[in-house]
Amino acid sequence: MTDSPHAAAPGWLGTLLASASFARAFTLVVFTTVFSAYAIERVAGRITYVTIVTGLCVLGVSVMIARRSELSLLRLVPTTVVMFVAWAFASIFWSSDSSASFWNWVSMAALAFLAVVIGHVRDTLQTVRALGDVLRALLGVSLALEVLSGILLDLPFTFLGIQGNIAELGPVQGIFGTRNLLGFVAVMALITFLIEYRTQSVRPGVSLASVVLAGGLAVLSDSPTVVVLAVGVGLAVGALALVRHARPERRAGLQLALGALVVIGVFVGYTARHPIIALLGAGTDFSMRVELWNFMVDILRQKPVQGFGWFGVWDQGEYPFNAINFWLDKDHATGLNAYFDVALQLGWVGLVLFLALGALALGRSWLVAGERRSVVYAWTPLMLVALLADSMFESFTLTGLGWLMLVLCAVRAGQSRSWREKLDSGADGEGPGSVSGSGLPHAQGEQGTAG
């Protein structure tokens, strides 16, 4: 009987999984889980976090199956992401601990998959709104716990890594474990909140309070990298504003001029690095990092092409991580630089793939943001500037929330100005990611089941 309950159930479930409301809820839960990973693990254990991510991946597969008619396999994932993840998988076979490398790769692939799902079920503005809601809540919780610990109780919350230094104006960590990660999240939040304000997607009062919250925690984090990120993102905002307001026929020349300025700026910054470091008051911290990076480069010479195998966060009992910490008499969990970390674990091949991933995503999203009227398109390149700049001082973009955001931005950028756009324009022209054949996600509002 065709009208039996068993026959009707799949249709109901498919409708739910393909709905815009479910896509929004899924996105909110993914962002909340990944950005709260440290707090979840400290409160409920790593198994709890892994279980939640596994469940989200199962839901993600179900959502993609329910929306399969809207998707194109050719445009599903950027080639650079696939190649980087594939090379990380290949490194399992020459790793000193293949089992550990495999499970760390599974964690990496799972977060990348969640980012791909979000990139295809949410458009740019909806992604910004979901991330903004999550970061408002998490930064609010961080501030509340810091006030409770440092002022009301005057007692550190060691199980969350909160030292209770807010009465001394920092450094504070919030629920993110370290001041540098809190500062990094606060900068990402500032970008998101300002885009919300410019697109008028939330009330002005909420935008103002959100910016004050993120800016205040960025300052209280007392992280030297926040200053660098703020300067880098600020310069990117100014450059992008110039491009967006330039005449179309002048944009190519302006882009070349800006590119030359970036190269000159990097050269000048490197030449004047010591005065800049002294100005930031980070001389001791930077000296420690340089010593670490020099030792990593020396050890990399043993396996320059393929590296020592993918681990993500360092395994303190495995070579070469144990040797680095032994000789430096430190307890580093990362290389404090995503580029050096990738080179150490995946060799120069991995580093080239990682650089290609970031550069192509930034280039594509920058060109789109310079041409499109809606300011929401500026979110992706500005977020990428923050991610890639922070990678010079931390390895956040290789694991956890940083890796999720990097892949998400790469997916968003890859939906436009890709070689696959021409090959797939006919088959995917009516998909949720296309706007008059541009291959760009919608900038405003709900668009059918694409949400």
Side-chain angles (χ1 to χ4, degrees):
M1 185 179 297
T2 57
D3 294 330
S4 66
H6 296 288
W12 170 84
L13 182 59
T15 301
L16 173 64
L17 292 172
S19 68
S21 297
F22 191 89
R24 172 171 169 76
F26 177 83
T27 303
L28 288 171
V29 174
V30 170
F31 281 149
T32 302
T33 299
V34 177
F35 277 77
S36 304
Y38 178 82
I40 292 173
E41 291 187 18
R42 296 302 294 264
V43 172
R46 176 146 184 91
I47 293 178
T48 301
Y49 173 71
V50 171
T51 302
I52 295 173
V53 172
T54 302
L56 288 172
C57 287
V58 173
L59 284 176
V61 171
S62 302
V63 169
M64 297 294 269
I65 292 174
R67 291 172 172 258
R68 60 189 179 276
S69 62
E70 306 170 2
L71 304 175
S72 167
L73 183 62
L74 192 62
R75 299 174 59 190
L76 193 63
V77 189
T79 306
T80 50
V81 174
V82 174
M83 293 178 66
F84 181 73
V85 173
W87 182 251
F89 177 80
S91 73
I92 295 172
F93 297 99
W94 58 78
S95 168
S96 59
D97 188 340
S98 297
S99 177
S101 289
F102 172 75
W103 288 113
N104 288 325
W105 178 85
V106 169
S107 175
M108 172 197 200
L111 293 182
F113 172 72
L114 293 178
V116 170
V117 175
I118 293 174
H120 285 280
V121 302
R122 295 274 90 185
D123 65 32
T124 307
L125 181 60
Q126 293 161 353
T127 302
V128 170
R129 285 288 293 111
L131 183 61
D133 288 343
V134 169
L135 292 183
R136 256 187 296 276
L138 297 184
L139 292 178
V141 169
S142 294
L143 180 60
L145 289 175
E146 288 287 353
V147 171
L148 183 62
S149 171
I151 297 177
L152 299 181
L153 297 180
D154 194 19
L155 179 69
F157 295 160
T158 54
F159 73 100
L160 283 176
I162 296 177
Q163 301 173 10
N165 296 328
I166 193 170
E168 290 78 34
L169 300 181
V172 299
Q173 303 79 32
I175 63 171
F176 300 98
T178 67
R179 63 174 184 166
N180 287 334
L181 185 53
L182 172 61
F184 179 45
V185 171
V187 171
M188 288 195 292
L190 279 171
I191 296 171
T192 303
F193 296 154
L194 290 173
I195 293 296
E196 283 184 327
Y197 171 75
R198 289 297 309 276
T199 56
Q200 300 180 352
S201 54
V202 297
R203 294 190 300 273
V206 174
S207 292
L208 177 61
S210 301
V211 170
V212 171
L213 173 64
L217 285 175
V219 172
L220 289 172
S221 70
D222 196 26
S223 172
T225 59
V226 167
V227 179
V228 177
L229 290 179
V231 171
V233 173
L235 291 174
V237 169
L240 193 55
L242 287 175
V243 172
R244 288 173 59 83
H245 288 88
R247 293 179 179 273
E249 62 272 14
R250 296 181 179 177
R251 282 176 184 159
L254 181 58
Q255 298 279 29
L256 291 175
L258 289 173
L261 285 176
V262 170
V263 173
I264 295 173
V266 170
F267 176 76
V268 172
Y270 178 79
T271 304
R273 62 190 182 279
H274 295 298
I276 294 174
I277 293 166
L279 180 64
L280 295 175
T284 302
D285 180 73
F286 190 78
S287 297
M288 176 270 295
R289 290 168 187 263
V290 170
E291 185 180 23
L292 170 62
W293 299 337
N294 288 337
F295 203 86
M296 291 170 65
V297 171
D298 290 339
I299 288 187
L300 177 61
R301 293 192 177 99
Q302 299 175 19
K303 294 185 177 182
V305 176
Q306 76 273 32
F308 290 87
W310 178 256
F311 286 89
V313 176
W314 287 8
D315 187 332
Q316 305 290 348
E318 292 297 322
Y319 185 84
F321 314 120
N322 53 3
I324 293 173
N325 284 329
F326 174 79
W327 288 108
L328 297 179
D329 194 22
K330 299 290 184 180
D331 191 27
H332 295 297
T334 70
L336 300 179
N337 183 300
Y339 306 108
F340 284 115
D341 232 341
V342 167
L344 183 69
Q345 298 185 43
L346 299 180
W348 294 113
V349 173
L351 179 59
V352 169
L353 292 174
F354 185 73
L355 290 173
L357 192 166
L360 284 176
L362 179 59
R364 288 169 172 170
S365 61
W366 185 275
L367 291 174
V368 171
E371 296 173 355
R372 295 282 166 171
R373 173 183 293 184
S374 177
V375 73
V376 73
Y377 292 105
W379 178 79
T380 303
L382 293 180
M383 193 66 71
L384 282 167
V385 167
L387 289 165
L388 298 177
D390 189 77
S391 295
M392 294 188 293
F393 307 99
E394 298 288 349
S395 298
F396 296 145
T397 50
L398 301 183
T399 57
L401 62 90
W403 171 244
L404 177 81
M405 295 306 300
L406 179 62
V407 176
L408 175 57
C409 290
V411 171
R412 185 69 66 210
Q415 290 171 339
S416 62
R417 293 191 173 274
S418 172
W419 59 269
R420 292 166 296 184
E421 201 175 358
K422 295 181 180 179
L423 294 178
D424 200 42
S425 57
D428 201 54
E430 300 300 324
S434 65
V435 180
S436 301
S438 69
L440 288 169
H442 297 291
Q444 303 288 341
E446 300 290 340
Q447 301 290 336
T449 59

XYZ file of all heavy atoms in Angstrom, residues 73-119:
366
model
N 28.737 17.460 -7.637
C 29.947 16.828 -7.130
C 31.191 17.579 -7.571
O 32.170 17.682 -6.836
C 30.004 15.369 -7.607
C 31.190 14.534 -7.108
C 31.162 14.431 -5.588
C 31.169 13.146 -7.740
N 31.139 18.135 -8.772
C 32.295 18.840 -9.321
C 32.636 20.083 -8.519
O 33.800 20.473 -8.414
C 32.020 19.221 -10.778
C 33.201 19.707 -11.608
C 34.251 18.619 -11.724
C 32.736 20.156 -12.984
N 31.621 20.724 -7.918
C 31.841 21.972 -7.189
C 31.674 21.802 -5.680
O 31.498 22.778 -4.959
C 30.864 23.031 -7.695
C 31.028 23.364 -9.159
C 29.941 24.299 -9.648
N 29.920 25.553 -8.904
C 28.957 26.459 -8.994
N 27.917 26.231 -9.769
N 29.024 27.577 -8.304
N 31.715 20.569 -5.225
C 31.429 20.309 -3.818
C 32.527 20.832 -2.896
O 32.258 21.506 -1.893
C 31.238 18.808 -3.598
C 30.627 18.387 -2.264
C 29.221 18.943 -2.135
C 30.618 16.866 -2.143
N 33.779 20.522 -3.227
C 34.919 20.891 -2.374
C 36.021 21.467 -3.257
O 36.310 20.919 -4.324
C 35.471 19.668 -1.605
C 36.501 20.108 -0.579
C 34.345 18.892 -0.926
N 36.663 22.563 -2.819
C 37.796 23.102 -3.593
C 38.914 22.072 -3.745
O 39.194 21.303 -2.824
C 38.255 24.304 -2.748
C 37.050 24.700 -1.968
C 36.317 23.427 -1.685
N 39.529 22.054 -4.915
C 40.593 21.091 -5.196
C 41.737 21.201 -4.197
O 42.314 20.181 -3.791
C 41.131 21.307 -6.621
O 40.047 21.256 -7.546
C 42.147 20.242 -6.988
N 42.079 22.420 -3.794
C 43.195 22.595 -2.869
C 42.910 21.953 -1.516
O 43.816 21.398 -0.890
C 43.486 24.093 -2.677
O 42.257 24.786 -2.378
C 44.114 24.685 -3.916
N 41.662 22.024 -1.074
C 41.295 21.376 0.202
C 41.425 19.868 0.069
O 41.979 19.192 0.948
C 39.861 21.767 0.619
C 39.434 20.971 1.852
C 39.774 23.252 0.906
N 40.924 19.320 -1.043
C 41.001 17.876 -1.267
C 42.451 17.411 -1.302
O 42.816 16.401 -0.680
C 40.287 17.500 -2.578
C 40.493 16.024 -2.901
C 38.800 17.798 -2.475
N 43.296 18.149 -2.004
C 44.700 17.748 -2.137
C 45.432 17.828 -0.807
O 46.237 16.951 -0.474
C 45.387 18.619 -3.189
C 44.872 18.409 -4.600
S 45.659 19.498 -5.819
C 47.343 18.896 -5.767
N 45.168 18.869 -0.016
C 45.837 19.008 1.269
C 45.421 17.890 2.220
O 46.263 17.272 2.891
C 45.529 20.372 1.882
C 46.191 20.612 3.209
C 47.551 20.858 3.287
C 45.462 20.570 4.391
C 48.181 21.074 4.518
C 46.067 20.784 5.615
C 47.431 21.040 5.682
N 44.117 17.621 2.281
C 43.625 16.556 3.162
C 44.132 15.194 2.682
O 44.487 14.331 3.500
C 42.079 16.586 3.229
C 41.549 15.386 4.006
C 41.599 17.866 3.875
N 44.193 15.000 1.371
C 44.688 13.739 0.826
C 46.169 13.536 1.162
O 46.595 12.421 1.503
C 44.482 13.700 -0.692
N 46.963 14.596 1.077
C 48.385 14.474 1.409
C 48.565 14.190 2.904
O 49.450 13.415 3.280
C 49.127 15.743 1.015
C 50.604 15.680 1.277
C 51.310 16.352 2.223
C 51.569 14.882 0.577
N 52.642 16.039 2.172
C 52.829 15.129 1.158
C 51.476 13.988 -0.486
C 53.990 14.508 0.714
C 52.645 13.364 -0.929
C 53.876 13.640 -0.330
N 47.734 14.791 3.730
C 47.781 14.498 5.165
C 47.456 13.026 5.418
O 48.068 12.375 6.272
C 46.805 15.398 5.927
N 46.500 12.476 4.654
C 46.176 11.056 4.794
C 47.356 10.195 4.352
O 47.689 9.195 5.000
C 44.937 10.718 3.973
C 44.576 9.260 4.008
C 43.902 8.733 5.092
C 44.918 8.419 2.956
C 43.577 7.379 5.141
C 44.606 7.068 2.999
C 43.925 6.544 4.096
N 47.987 10.566 3.264
C 49.125 9.788 2.770
C 50.252 9.747 3.790
O 50.970 8.747 3.901
C 49.630 10.382 1.455
N 50.406 10.824 4.578
C 51.496 10.884 5.562
C 51.345 9.854 6.661
O 52.301 9.588 7.400
C 51.563 12.287 6.174
O 50.484 12.511 7.063
N 50.154 9.278 6.785
C 49.943 8.233 7.798
C 50.906 7.074 7.578
O 51.403 6.466 8.532
C 48.482 7.728 7.746
C 47.519 8.846 8.140
C 48.285 6.497 8.622
C 46.057 8.492 7.929
N 51.222 6.796 6.318
C 52.013 5.615 5.991
C 53.495 5.768 6.334
O 54.223 4.768 6.366
C 51.840 5.270 4.509
C 50.422 4.899 4.163
C 49.575 5.834 3.585
C 49.932 3.641 4.441
C 48.270 5.507 3.272
C 48.622 3.304 4.137
C 47.781 4.239 3.559
N 53.970 6.996 6.569
C 55.366 7.149 7.016
C 55.456 7.807 8.396
O 56.525 8.201 8.832
C 56.184 7.936 5.991
C 55.683 9.309 5.673
C 55.831 10.437 6.425
C 54.966 9.712 4.487
N 55.254 11.516 5.805
C 54.722 11.104 4.606
C 54.536 9.049 3.351
C 54.046 11.830 3.632
C 53.869 9.779 2.387
C 53.627 11.146 2.519
N 54.338 7.901 9.069
C 54.339 8.455 10.420
C 54.934 7.455 11.404
O 54.841 6.238 11.216
C 52.905 8.803 10.830
O 52.825 9.081 12.212
N 55.514 7.971 12.483
C 56.073 7.098 13.516
C 54.988 6.408 14.317
O 55.231 5.396 14.975
C 56.976 7.904 14.457
O 56.246 8.954 15.077
N 53.774 6.953 14.314
C 52.635 6.342 14.981
C 51.440 6.431 14.035
O 50.686 7.403 14.056
C 52.339 7.046 16.315
C 51.278 6.328 17.142
O 50.507 5.527 16.583
O 51.209 6.575 18.373
N 51.275 5.423 13.193
C 50.249 5.456 12.161
C 48.843 5.528 12.751
O 47.962 6.187 12.189
C 50.365 4.223 11.255
O 51.600 4.216 10.579
N 48.637 4.862 13.862
C 47.306 4.866 14.483
C 46.926 6.264 14.948
O 45.820 6.749 14.672
C 47.272 3.892 15.658
O 46.021 3.943 16.315
N 47.850 6.928 15.654
C 47.579 8.285 16.129
C 47.388 9.238 14.957
O 46.489 10.091 14.973
C 48.717 8.770 17.029
N 48.207 9.099 13.932
C 48.083 9.962 12.760
C 46.739 9.752 12.074
O 46.103 10.718 11.622
C 49.216 9.684 11.771
O 50.444 10.155 12.261
N 46.295 8.503 12.006
C 45.020 8.219 11.354
C 43.864 8.889 12.087
O 43.021 9.539 11.454
C 44.776 6.708 11.280
C 43.406 6.348 10.792
C 43.077 6.475 9.448
C 42.429 5.908 11.678
C 41.809 6.153 8.991
C 41.156 5.592 11.233
C 40.839 5.705 9.890
N 43.812 8.750 13.398
C 42.691 9.317 14.142
C 42.754 10.844 14.161
O 41.713 11.510 14.143
C 42.646 8.754 15.561
C 42.213 7.325 15.581
C 42.952 6.235 15.925
C 40.920 6.825 15.201
N 42.221 5.089 15.783
C 40.967 5.426 15.347
C 39.747 7.419 14.744
C 39.864 4.607 15.053
C 38.653 6.612 14.455
C 38.712 5.237 14.611
N 43.954 11.400 14.169
C 44.061 12.860 14.055
C 43.610 13.326 12.677
O 43.002 14.394 12.535
C 45.500 13.300 14.320
C 45.886 13.179 15.777
O 45.064 13.388 16.659
N 47.137 12.832 16.040
N 43.891 12.505 11.655
C 43.412 12.842 10.315
C 41.892 12.737 10.237
O 41.244 13.570 9.595
C 44.037 11.901 9.280
C 43.544 12.169 7.899
C 44.031 13.086 7.017
C 42.434 11.545 7.236
N 43.309 13.071 5.846
C 42.325 12.135 5.951
C 41.542 10.548 7.606
C 41.343 11.743 5.048
C 40.563 10.160 6.703
C 40.473 10.765 5.442
N 41.327 11.752 10.888
C 39.862 11.617 10.907
C 39.226 12.857 11.529
O 38.219 13.373 11.029
C 39.446 10.349 11.687
C 37.941 10.346 11.955
C 39.841 9.094 10.913
N 39.818 13.348 12.615
C 39.314 14.574 13.248
C 39.393 15.749 12.281
O 38.450 16.548 12.162
C 40.126 14.874 14.507
O 39.748 16.109 15.078
N 40.505 15.851 11.566
C 40.691 16.914 10.583
C 39.653 16.813 9.470
O 39.011 17.809 9.087
C 42.108 16.805 10.002
C 42.404 17.709 8.828
S 43.884 17.128 7.966
C 44.349 18.586 7.074
N 39.463 15.607 8.939
C 38.520 15.392 7.844
C 37.082 15.653 8.296
O 36.265 16.176 7.523
C 38.660 13.971 7.299
N 36.754 15.293 9.541
C 35.396 15.494 10.055
C 35.042 16.972 10.116
O 33.956 17.388 9.685
C 35.266 14.857 11.439
N 35.958 17.788 10.629
C 35.694 19.225 10.707
C 35.631 19.843 9.310
O 34.825 20.749 9.060
C 36.768 19.914 11.553
C 36.778 19.560 13.039
C 37.851 20.357 13.765
C 35.420 19.806 13.680
N 36.475 19.352 8.404
C 36.427 19.849 7.029
C 35.077 19.512 6.398
O 34.488 20.341 5.683
C 37.568 19.247 6.205
N 34.578 18.311 6.671
C 33.282 17.915 6.118
C 32.161 18.807 6.664
O 31.279 19.234 5.911
C 32.996 16.455 6.452
C 31.604 16.012 6.082
C 31.251 15.844 4.755
C 30.653 15.785 7.059
C 29.959 15.451 4.402
C 29.368 15.398 6.722
C 29.020 15.226 5.391
N 32.186 19.091 7.966
C 31.165 19.965 8.548
C 31.211 21.349 7.905
O 30.163 21.967 7.661
C 31.364 20.067 10.058
C 31.115 18.789 10.868
C 31.410 19.030 12.345
C 29.680 18.297 10.685
N 32.420 21.837 7.626
C 32.553 23.137 6.960
C 31.969 23.093 5.554
O 31.313 24.044 5.109
C 34.026 23.548 6.910
N 32.187 21.984 4.845
C 31.644 21.840 3.493
C 30.119 21.844 3.529
O 29.458 22.493 2.698
C 32.172 20.545 2.838
C 31.425 20.250 1.541
C 33.667 20.655 2.574
N 29.550 21.145 4.498
C 28.090 21.099 4.606
C 27.536 22.501 4.843
O 26.599 22.946 4.168
C 27.651 20.149 5.739
C 26.128 20.209 5.920
C 28.083 18.719 5.452
N 28.126 23.222 5.803
C 27.657 24.586 6.082
C 27.788 25.459 4.843
O 26.901 26.259 4.518
C 28.452 25.195 7.252
C 28.127 24.457 8.550
C 28.125 26.684 7.415
C 28.965 24.903 9.736
N 28.895 25.308 4.124
C 29.118 26.118 2.935
C 28.084 25.902 1.848
O 27.876 26.784 1.010
